PDB file of all heavy atoms in Angstrom:
ATOM      1  N   LEU D  80      40.184  79.719 118.648  1.00  0.00           N
ATOM      2  CA  LEU D  80      40.007  79.090 119.958  1.00  0.00           C
ATOM      3  C   LEU D  80      41.284  79.185 120.781  1.00  0.00           C
ATOM      4  O   LEU D  80      42.258  79.805 120.371  1.00  0.00           O
ATOM      5  CB  LEU D  80      39.577  77.636 119.784  1.00  0.00           C
ATOM      6  CG  LEU D  80      38.287  77.427 118.978  1.00  0.00           C
ATOM      7  CD1 LEU D  80      38.001  75.951 118.803  1.00  0.00           C
ATOM      8  CD2 LEU D  80      37.114  78.116 119.638  1.00  0.00           C
ATOM      9  N   LEU D  81      41.280  78.561 121.942  1.00  0.00           N
ATOM     10  CA  LEU D  81      42.386  78.548 122.905  1.00  0.00           C
ATOM     11  C   LEU D  81      42.725  79.954 123.401  1.00  0.00           C
ATOM     12  O   LEU D  81      43.868  80.270 123.688  1.00  0.00           O
ATOM     13  CB  LEU D  81      43.628  77.873 122.321  1.00  0.00           C
ATOM     14  CG  LEU D  81      43.474  76.417 121.887  1.00  0.00           C
ATOM     15  CD1 LEU D  81      44.795  75.878 121.380  1.00  0.00           C
ATOM     16  CD2 LEU D  81      42.931  75.556 123.002  1.00  0.00           C
ATOM     17  N   ASN D  82      41.702  80.777 123.515  1.00  0.00           N
ATOM     18  CA  ASN D  82      41.869  82.131 124.017  1.00  0.00           C
ATOM     19  C   ASN D  82      41.719  82.107 125.540  1.00  0.00           C
ATOM     20  O   ASN D  82      40.624  81.902 126.060  1.00  0.00           O
ATOM     21  CB  ASN D  82      40.829  83.057 123.379  1.00  0.00           C
ATOM     22  CG  ASN D  82      41.011  84.493 123.769  1.00  0.00           C
ATOM     23  OD1 ASN D  82      41.842  84.826 124.612  1.00  0.00           O
ATOM     24  ND2 ASN D  82      40.231  85.361 123.161  1.00  0.00           N
ATOM     25  N   ARG D  83      42.804  82.307 126.247  1.00  0.00           N
ATOM     26  CA  ARG D  83      42.786  82.237 127.709  1.00  0.00           C
ATOM     27  C   ARG D  83      41.955  83.342 128.348  1.00  0.00           C
ATOM     28  O   ARG D  83      41.429  83.183 129.430  1.00  0.00           O
ATOM     29  CB  ARG D  83      44.209  82.292 128.265  1.00  0.00           C
ATOM     30  CG  ARG D  83      44.989  81.028 128.000  1.00  0.00           C
ATOM     31  CD  ARG D  83      46.359  81.151 128.569  1.00  0.00           C
ATOM     32  NE  ARG D  83      47.126  81.990 127.628  1.00  0.00           N
ATOM     33  CZ  ARG D  83      48.397  82.271 127.739  1.00  0.00           C
ATOM     34  NH1 ARG D  83      49.077  81.828 128.761  1.00  0.00           N
ATOM     35  NH2 ARG D  83      49.009  82.994 126.847  1.00  0.00           N
ATOM     36  N   LYS D  84      41.833  84.468 127.659  1.00  0.00           N
ATOM     37  CA  LYS D  84      41.119  85.607 128.230  1.00  0.00           C
ATOM     38  C   LYS D  84      39.648  85.646 127.818  1.00  0.00           C
ATOM     39  O   LYS D  84      38.952  86.602 128.124  1.00  0.00           O
ATOM     40  CB  LYS D  84      41.813  86.900 127.814  1.00  0.00           C
ATOM     41  CG  LYS D  84      43.227  86.992 128.347  1.00  0.00           C
ATOM     42  CD  LYS D  84      43.914  88.237 127.882  1.00  0.00           C
ATOM     43  CE  LYS D  84      45.342  88.268 128.403  1.00  0.00           C
ATOM     44  NZ  LYS D  84      46.083  89.413 127.923  1.00  0.00           N
ATOM     45  N   SER D  85      39.185  84.628 127.152  1.00  0.00           N
ATOM     46  CA  SER D  85      37.801  84.591 126.706  1.00  0.00           C
ATOM     47  C   SER D  85      36.855  84.338 127.873  1.00  0.00           C
ATOM     48  O   SER D  85      37.214  83.695 128.856  1.00  0.00           O
ATOM     49  CB  SER D  85      37.639  83.476 125.663  1.00  0.00           C
ATOM     50  OG  SER D  85      36.282  83.291 125.363  1.00  0.00           O
ATOM     51  N   LYS D  86      35.617  84.827 127.731  1.00  0.00           N
ATOM     52  CA  LYS D  86      34.626  84.545 128.764  1.00  0.00           C
ATOM     53  C   LYS D  86      34.198  83.076 128.718  1.00  0.00           C
ATOM     54  O   LYS D  86      33.686  82.552 129.694  1.00  0.00           O
ATOM     55  CB  LYS D  86      33.415  85.467 128.637  1.00  0.00           C
ATOM     56  CG  LYS D  86      32.601  85.263 127.386  1.00  0.00           C
ATOM     57  CD  LYS D  86      31.425  86.216 127.339  1.00  0.00           C
ATOM     58  CE  LYS D  86      30.603  85.954 126.104  1.00  0.00           C
ATOM     59  NZ  LYS D  86      29.454  86.836 126.017  1.00  0.00           N
ATOM     60  N   ASN D  87      34.411  82.411 127.596  1.00  0.00           N
ATOM     61  CA  ASN D  87      34.216  80.960 127.466  1.00  0.00           C
ATOM     62  C   ASN D  87      35.592  80.323 127.552  1.00  0.00           C
ATOM     63  O   ASN D  87      36.321  80.279 126.579  1.00  0.00           O
ATOM     64  CB  ASN D  87      33.556  80.606 126.128  1.00  0.00           C
ATOM     65  CG  ASN D  87      32.188  81.215 126.000  1.00  0.00           C
ATOM     66  OD1 ASN D  87      31.362  81.084 126.876  1.00  0.00           O
ATOM     67  ND2 ASN D  87      31.963  81.916 124.895  1.00  0.00           N
ATOM     68  N   ARG D  88      35.932  79.855 128.701  1.00  0.00           N
ATOM     69  CA  ARG D  88      37.284  79.371 128.991  1.00  0.00           C
ATOM     70  C   ARG D  88      37.865  78.517 127.863  1.00  0.00           C
ATOM     71  O   ARG D  88      37.291  77.525 127.475  1.00  0.00           O
ATOM     72  CB  ARG D  88      37.265  78.581 130.295  1.00  0.00           C
ATOM     73  CG  ARG D  88      38.607  78.224 130.803  1.00  0.00           C
ATOM     74  CD  ARG D  88      38.478  77.592 132.187  1.00  0.00           C
ATOM     75  NE  ARG D  88      39.727  77.049 132.625  1.00  0.00           N
ATOM     76  CZ  ARG D  88      40.536  77.670 133.454  1.00  0.00           C
ATOM     77  NH1 ARG D  88      40.200  78.831 133.940  1.00  0.00           N
ATOM     78  NH2 ARG D  88      41.678  77.123 133.815  1.00  0.00           N
ATOM     79  N   TRP D  89      39.022  78.933 127.338  1.00  0.00           N
ATOM     80  CA  TRP D  89      39.800  78.276 126.291  1.00  0.00           C
ATOM     81  C   TRP D  89      39.097  78.252 124.939  1.00  0.00           C
ATOM     82  O   TRP D  89      39.559  77.583 124.025  1.00  0.00           O
ATOM     83  CB  TRP D  89      40.219  76.864 126.690  1.00  0.00           C
ATOM     84  CG  TRP D  89      41.186  76.876 127.812  1.00  0.00           C
ATOM     85  CD1 TRP D  89      40.935  76.501 129.100  1.00  0.00           C
ATOM     86  CD2 TRP D  89      42.537  77.326 127.783  1.00  0.00           C
ATOM     87  NE1 TRP D  89      42.045  76.684 129.872  1.00  0.00           N
ATOM     88  CE2 TRP D  89      43.054  77.188 129.092  1.00  0.00           C
ATOM     89  CE3 TRP D  89      43.368  77.833 126.797  1.00  0.00           C
ATOM     90  CZ2 TRP D  89      44.353  77.530 129.417  1.00  0.00           C
ATOM     91  CZ3 TRP D  89      44.653  78.173 127.121  1.00  0.00           C
ATOM     92  CH2 TRP D  89      45.138  78.020 128.410  1.00  0.00           C
ATOM     93  N   LEU D  90      38.015  78.991 124.797  1.00  0.00           N
ATOM     94  CA  LEU D  90      37.349  79.057 123.497  1.00  0.00           C
ATOM     95  C   LEU D  90      37.441  80.496 122.994  1.00  0.00           C
ATOM     96  O   LEU D  90      38.507  81.086 123.042  1.00  0.00           O
ATOM     97  CB  LEU D  90      35.896  78.572 123.633  1.00  0.00           C
ATOM     98  CG  LEU D  90      35.742  77.130 124.120  1.00  0.00           C
ATOM     99  CD1 LEU D  90      34.283  76.785 124.325  1.00  0.00           C
ATOM    100  CD2 LEU D  90      36.400  76.153 123.180  1.00  0.00           C
ATOM    101  N   ARG D  91      36.366  81.048 122.478  1.00  0.00           N
ATOM    102  CA  ARG D  91      36.323  82.456 122.102  1.00  0.00           C
ATOM    103  C   ARG D  91      35.076  83.063 122.718  1.00  0.00           C
ATOM    104  O   ARG D  91      34.218  82.342 123.207  1.00  0.00           O
ATOM    105  CB  ARG D  91      36.375  82.636 120.589  1.00  0.00           C
ATOM    106  CG  ARG D  91      35.216  82.071 119.839  1.00  0.00           C
ATOM    107  CD  ARG D  91      35.312  82.433 118.355  1.00  0.00           C
ATOM    108  NE  ARG D  91      35.676  81.343 117.509  1.00  0.00           N
ATOM    109  CZ  ARG D  91      34.822  80.419 117.091  1.00  0.00           C
ATOM    110  NH1 ARG D  91      33.581  80.443 117.473  1.00  0.00           N
ATOM    111  NH2 ARG D  91      35.222  79.457 116.312  1.00  0.00           N
ATOM    112  N   ASP D  92      34.979  84.367 122.698  1.00  0.00           N
ATOM    113  CA  ASP D  92      33.848  85.023 123.359  1.00  0.00           C
ATOM    114  C   ASP D  92      32.506  84.647 122.736  1.00  0.00           C
ATOM    115  O   ASP D  92      31.553  84.369 123.444  1.00  0.00           O
ATOM    116  CB  ASP D  92      34.018  86.550 123.334  1.00  0.00           C
ATOM    117  CG  ASP D  92      35.102  87.022 124.297  1.00  0.00           C
ATOM    118  OD1 ASP D  92      35.386  86.286 125.270  1.00  0.00           O
ATOM    119  OD2 ASP D  92      35.655  88.106 124.079  1.00  0.00           O
ATOM    120  N   LYS D  93      32.430  84.661 121.415  1.00  0.00           N
ATOM    121  CA  LYS D  93      31.170  84.344 120.743  1.00  0.00           C
ATOM    122  C   LYS D  93      31.243  82.943 120.150  1.00  0.00           C
ATOM    123  O   LYS D  93      32.195  82.610 119.444  1.00  0.00           O
ATOM    124  CB  LYS D  93      30.877  85.359 119.644  1.00  0.00           C
ATOM    125  CG  LYS D  93      30.574  86.732 120.185  1.00  0.00           C
ATOM    126  CD  LYS D  93      30.190  87.680 119.085  1.00  0.00           C
ATOM    127  CE  LYS D  93      29.911  89.051 119.660  1.00  0.00           C
ATOM    128  NZ  LYS D  93      29.536  90.003 118.631  1.00  0.00           N
ATOM    129  N   LEU D  94      30.225  82.159 120.419  1.00  0.00           N
ATOM    130  CA  LEU D  94      30.130  80.789 119.916  1.00  0.00           C
ATOM    131  C   LEU D  94      28.762  80.603 119.270  1.00  0.00           C
ATOM    132  O   LEU D  94      27.751  81.064 119.803  1.00  0.00           O
ATOM    133  CB  LEU D  94      30.297  79.780 121.059  1.00  0.00           C
ATOM    134  CG  LEU D  94      31.580  79.873 121.883  1.00  0.00           C
ATOM    135  CD1 LEU D  94      31.499  78.934 123.076  1.00  0.00           C
ATOM    136  CD2 LEU D  94      32.782  79.551 121.021  1.00  0.00           C
ATOM    137  N   LEU D  95      28.729  79.937 118.134  1.00  0.00           N
ATOM    138  CA  LEU D  95      27.449  79.677 117.470  1.00  0.00           C
ATOM    139  C   LEU D  95      26.836  78.354 117.919  1.00  0.00           C
ATOM    140  O   LEU D  95      25.624  78.211 117.917  1.00  0.00           O
ATOM    141  CB  LEU D  95      27.621  79.683 115.954  1.00  0.00           C
ATOM    142  CG  LEU D  95      27.992  81.029 115.339  1.00  0.00           C
ATOM    143  CD1 LEU D  95      28.098  80.911 113.826  1.00  0.00           C
ATOM    144  CD2 LEU D  95      26.995  82.104 115.719  1.00  0.00           C
ATOM    145  N   VAL D  96      27.663  77.398 118.286  1.00  0.00           N
ATOM    146  CA  VAL D  96      27.157  76.118 118.771  1.00  0.00           C
ATOM    147  C   VAL D  96      26.921  76.277 120.277  1.00  0.00           C
ATOM    148  O   VAL D  96      27.846  76.610 121.012  1.00  0.00           O
ATOM    149  CB  VAL D  96      28.161  74.979 118.492  1.00  0.00           C
ATOM    150  CG1 VAL D  96      27.647  73.657 119.038  1.00  0.00           C
ATOM    151  CG2 VAL D  96      28.453  74.874 117.004  1.00  0.00           C
ATOM    152  N   PRO D  97      25.691  76.035 120.742  1.00  0.00           N
ATOM    153  CA  PRO D  97      25.392  76.305 122.156  1.00  0.00           C
ATOM    154  C   PRO D  97      26.119  75.386 123.140  1.00  0.00           C
ATOM    155  O   PRO D  97      26.420  75.804 124.257  1.00  0.00           O
ATOM    156  CB  PRO D  97      23.872  76.106 122.256  1.00  0.00           C
ATOM    157  CG  PRO D  97      23.449  75.424 121.024  1.00  0.00           C
ATOM    158  CD  PRO D  97      24.515  75.616 120.001  1.00  0.00           C
ATOM    159  N   ASN D  98      26.428  74.177 122.745  1.00  0.00           N
ATOM    160  CA  ASN D  98      27.089  73.232 123.647  1.00  0.00           C
ATOM    161  C   ASN D  98      28.608  73.373 123.506  1.00  0.00           C
ATOM    162  O   ASN D  98      29.187  73.007 122.480  1.00  0.00           O
ATOM    163  CB  ASN D  98      26.645  71.808 123.331  1.00  0.00           C
ATOM    164  CG  ASN D  98      27.083  70.810 124.373  1.00  0.00           C
ATOM    165  OD1 ASN D  98      27.928  71.104 125.218  1.00  0.00           O
ATOM    166  ND2 ASN D  98      26.519  69.623 124.308  1.00  0.00           N
TER     167      ASN D  98
END
Side-chain angles (χ1 to χ4, degrees):
L80 302 177
L81 300 182
N82 185 354
R83 289 180 282 184
K84 297 178 182 177
S85 171
K86 66 180 182 180
N87 298 309
R88 189 173 171 99
W89 293 108
L90 300 176
R91 64 174 107 80
D92 287 336
K93 292 184 181 180
L94 303 172
L95 294 181
V96 178
N98 191 346

